Amino acid sequence: MDTILILDIGTSNIRGVLFNEEGEIVYRTSIKNIPDYLSKIRVEQKPEKYREKIVQVTEKCVAYAKSNAYTISCISTTALRTCVMLVKEDGTPVSDIIMWQDKRAEEICLELRESEELVYQCTGTRIHPVFVGPKILWMKKYWPEAYADSDRIVTVADDIHHMITGKWVTDYTYGSRTSLMNIKTLKWDPQMLKLFGVREEMLCELVEQGSIIGTVQESFAEKTGLKCGIPVVSAGGDQNCGALGSGVVGEGLAQLTTGSGAYLIVCSDSPKLDKNKRFLCNMAAVKGKYIVEASMLSSAILYEWFYDNFYTESQGDMTSTINAEAEKSRPGAGGMIVLPYFQGRGCPDWNTRATGSFLNVTMHNSRGDFARALLEGIAMESAENLEIIEEYTGTLDKIYLGGGMTKSSLFNQIQADTANRTFSLNKNEETTALGAFISAAAATGLVSSCQEGRKFIRGTQCVYRPNSENQKYYQEIRCERQRLYQALYQQELGAERADK
């Protein structure tokens, strides 16, 4: 039986998933791949770690396929976005990977502030350290020897594609997160290349997402046991594929993913830009479609941080352990409010200097209050971003949930209550991998399009409807947390002006 191998390359995990032609998972495996958090602003990873673990995951999938009479007929990749590294033409690394969470390019962004409107109108992105353009300028300034010695500027996805196929290509979903690709022409933009000081020949060839980008080359086949010549599909960025895997394939359909960060994604037939630049516009995993995206830089990673630092005595499952105490805390967490900006704030104001805060803490608060307040803080941030996007899309009555934090039914209900919206959780937990499978199915002719590929989505596991009493209460808390954030932000601005 033929299967499609999905390589799902995330921030902290690399997953291999085998789907049969009916869209059913027959095998999955994963390996941890935690970045190096070198300081408050520096987050890096060794290219060799990604490469080694991609090989290991692929080897496991190949071994399983062979022992169970499966044939791997196609590979489809989906990866984290806006991570960048320098390499030689043959793929030899010249630098470590600067991860998407890295904030060291902040000073570069401040220098380019006057060009923010131009960048947004052209690319759909902000001038912000999370994106590739400012990272490149930082490398040119602070890693001049490495930059001069390199031939290519590539993302993790580009590097993995080269390792598998021998080709330097990147699809539109990754290109639209670089601040270098024109969101309308779908080409590297001359104005942006000039602004960020990039030679186009150092970038990869832009190709359409969901297309066959090459075949498995001999060197990768020898390392993994794969057969040479298997087609390779670039399905698109992980958040883009997660939305596709939930069924977000047309105008107005939405997905809220809570992984390491949180991403609210709405599909659109055309580019949508906000006059205040509060949300982003990128390419969807579906050919010819766009996504309107609100990004939150810290989500499930906060849950992991909280567990590691406040439950050191625990040997149990992280989600069930924290939730057992959080469920004992009533809505409002005993008056505590969390501003979840532990890695800065994303949408709507992209404040790189924002930090995380537990506010209104008293002697009466329990550890469970801290846990619930953290969940509520993450959910309220997403609810506020939802309202901003709905100014352009109209009310989204049904929104799909995805990501690791959906394992918590408590958190899912809190999201419904804080947003006053109905959320649907699909049966398939591997929405990102499923999106990459649907993309490959369309590329190889199993289905005629990603829209037809929705048939592989196995229905709804659970629907979360807002509790009207909780919703009213949370609305009051949301107003208070907005007031507190503005007060802290104005204080920060005042201190900054005083320093100058």
Side-chain angles (χ1 to χ4, degrees):
M1 180 184 293
D2 281 354
T3 59
I4 292 177
L5 168 60
I6 308 303
L7 294 177
D8 179 1
I9 305 151
T11 301
S12 55
N13 279 281
I14 295 175
R15 307 175 67 78
V17 186
L18 285 175
F19 283 86
N20 65 22
E21 292 185 335
E22 302 301 316
E24 300 166 332
I25 294 175
V26 298
Y27 178 72
R28 58 184 142 192
T29 185
S30 68
I31 299 177
K32 285 280 187 185
N33 190 46
I34 307 297
D36 297 321
Y37 292 88
L38 303 175
S39 73
K40 290 193 298 183
I41 63 171
R42 292 180 61 205
V43 188
E44 295 180 9
Q45 181 59 287
K46 300 291 184 185
E48 295 81 5
K49 286 188 177 182
Y50 272 105
R51 296 175 180 182
E52 289 168 4
K53 290 174 182 179
I54 284 290
V55 169
Q56 292 170 16
V57 163
T58 304
E59 280 182 311
K60 289 184 178 181
C61 292
V62 170
Y64 180 87
K66 287 181 177 178
S67 63
N68 290 274
Y70 290 115
T71 299
I72 297 176
S73 60
C74 177
I75 295 175
S76 183
T77 67
T78 179
L80 71 172
R81 309 167 300 176
T82 68
C83 303
V84 66
M85 59 186 285
L86 301 171
V87 297
K88 291 289 209 178
E89 185 64 29
D90 64 0
T92 302
V94 180
S95 76
D96 287 343
I97 302 165
I98 298 181
M99 298 296 287
W100 62 267
Q101 309 100 309
D102 192 283
K103 295 194 295 183
R104 74 187 85 174
E106 182 180 357
E107 66 172 89
I108 301 290
C109 295
L110 291 174
E111 294 170 3
L112 296 174
R113 185 178 292 171
E114 291 183 0
S115 299
E116 181 108 62
E117 184 66 24
L118 174 65
V119 171
Y120 184 73
Q121 292 297 326
C122 181
T123 72
T125 63
R126 297 282 300 257
I127 293 180
H128 189 275
V130 76
F131 299 114
V132 172
K135 287 181 168 72
I136 293 173
L137 271 180
W138 186 93
M139 289 190 294
K140 288 184 71 174
K141 184 174 182 178
Y142 293 100
W143 290 349
E145 293 182 2
Y147 192 89
D149 193 39
S150 61
D151 300 311
R152 295 277 182 180
I153 304 165
V154 300
T155 67
V156 169
D158 305 337
D159 185 59
I160 298 304
H161 290 157
H162 181 263
M163 180 175 71
I164 299 173
T165 71
K167 294 184 177 181
W168 289 117
V169 295
T170 195
D171 75 42
Y172 294 151
T173 67
Y174 301 109
S176 66
R177 299 283 294 186
T178 62
S179 299
L180 300 172
M181 189 189 88
N182 189 298
I183 198 72
K184 302 176 184 72
T185 66
L186 306 183
K187 295 179 180 179
W188 298 123
D189 188 270
Q191 290 184 96
M192 297 301 103
L193 297 178
K194 182 178 180 180
L195 179 67
F196 292 105
V198 181
R199 301 196 319 272
E200 185 172 347
E201 59 266 28
M202 293 187 75
L203 302 174
C204 295
E205 177 190 356
L206 284 165
V207 298
E208 192 170 29
Q209 67 276 31
S211 60
I212 296 174
I213 60 170
T215 60
V216 172
Q217 64 177 335
E218 186 176 349
S219 59
F220 191 70
E222 289 176 352
K223 291 176 183 177
T224 60
L226 280 168
K227 186 179 178 181
C228 277
I230 296 171
V232 179
V233 174
S234 180
D238 52 1
Q239 301 305 325
N240 314 61
C241 282
L244 172 55
S246 286
V248 179
V249 296
E251 186 84 19
L253 296 172
Q255 158 92 349
L256 175 56
T257 301
T258 44
S260 295
Y263 303 88
L264 176 64
I265 290 174
V266 181
C267 192
S268 173
D269 292 337
S270 61
K272 283 188 171 67
L273 297 171
D274 174 42
K275 62 182 180 181
N276 295 313
K277 302 182 289 294
R278 292 170 296 177
F279 57 71
L280 308 174
C281 182
N282 297 156
M283 298 305 298
V286 183
K287 290 183 178 181
K289 303 290 183 181
Y290 293 80
I291 57 172
V292 174
E293 178 178 323
S295 307
M296 180 177 156
L297 304 181
S298 301
S299 181
I301 199 168
L302 298 185
Y303 216 43
E304 295 171 7
W305 167 84
F306 187 70
Y307 179 79
D308 290 342
N309 287 279
F310 291 84
Y311 290 82
T312 54
E313 81 289 352
S314 176
Q315 300 296 319
D317 172 72
M318 179 181 71
T319 301
S320 59
T321 299
I322 298 178
N323 283 4
E325 293 191 351
E327 286 173 349
K328 295 176 184 177
S329 175
R330 296 186 57 77
M336 196 184 306
I337 290 176
V338 168
L339 300 180
Y341 313 131
F342 288 57
Q343 296 185 110
R345 194 185 196 202
C347 295
D349 62 359
W350 294 90
N351 181 4
T352 58
R353 300 191 179 186
T355 56
S357 303
F358 286 85
L359 302 168
N360 296 345
V361 183
T362 73
M363 294 289 287
H364 296 287
N365 288 121
S366 66
R367 186 168 65 176
D369 289 335
F370 277 83
R372 185 174 189 113
L374 189 62
L375 295 177
E376 291 177 345
I378 295 169
M380 288 180 190
E381 191 75 2
S382 295
E384 290 169 13
N385 284 328
L386 174 61
E387 289 181 355
I388 290 169
I389 287 181
E390 285 184 332
E391 292 176 20
Y392 290 80
T393 63
T395 301
L396 300 166
D397 294 321
K398 186 175 182 181
I399 304 164
Y400 299 104
L401 293 177
M405 288 188 71
T406 58
K407 295 177 182 177
S408 168
S409 58
L410 171 63
F411 178 63
N412 295 339
Q413 186 59 52
I414 289 173
Q415 289 194 109
D417 292 344
T418 54
N420 194 28
R421 295 288 184 276
T422 297
F423 290 114
S424 297
L425 181 63
N426 288 332
K427 288 182 179 179
N428 192 318
E429 296 179 0
E430 299 280 359
T431 53
T432 301
L434 180 58
F437 167 77
I438 292 172
S439 178
T444 57
L446 275 179
V447 292
S448 62
S449 65
C450 288
Q451 286 79 0
E452 185 188 342
R454 287 191 72 182
K455 71 179 185 180
F456 296 118
I457 300 171
R458 304 302 180 190
T460 301
Q461 174 182 323
C462 192
V463 175
Y464 295 89
R465 295 181 174 85
N467 178 303
S468 57
E469 291 186 12
N470 290 348
Q471 190 277 323
K472 292 177 182 177
Y473 186 50
Y474 280 136
Q475 186 61 40
E476 295 176 4
I477 298 174
R478 283 177 55 190
C479 292
E480 176 65 8
R481 72 185 292 277
Q482 288 173 359
R483 185 191 68 79
L484 288 169
Y485 171 70
Q486 290 301 324
L488 289 170
Y489 184 44
Q490 292 302 319
Q491 184 181 45
E492 175 190 302
L493 286 177
E496 186 178 322
R497 293 190 189 102
D499 289 339
K500 292 179 179 178

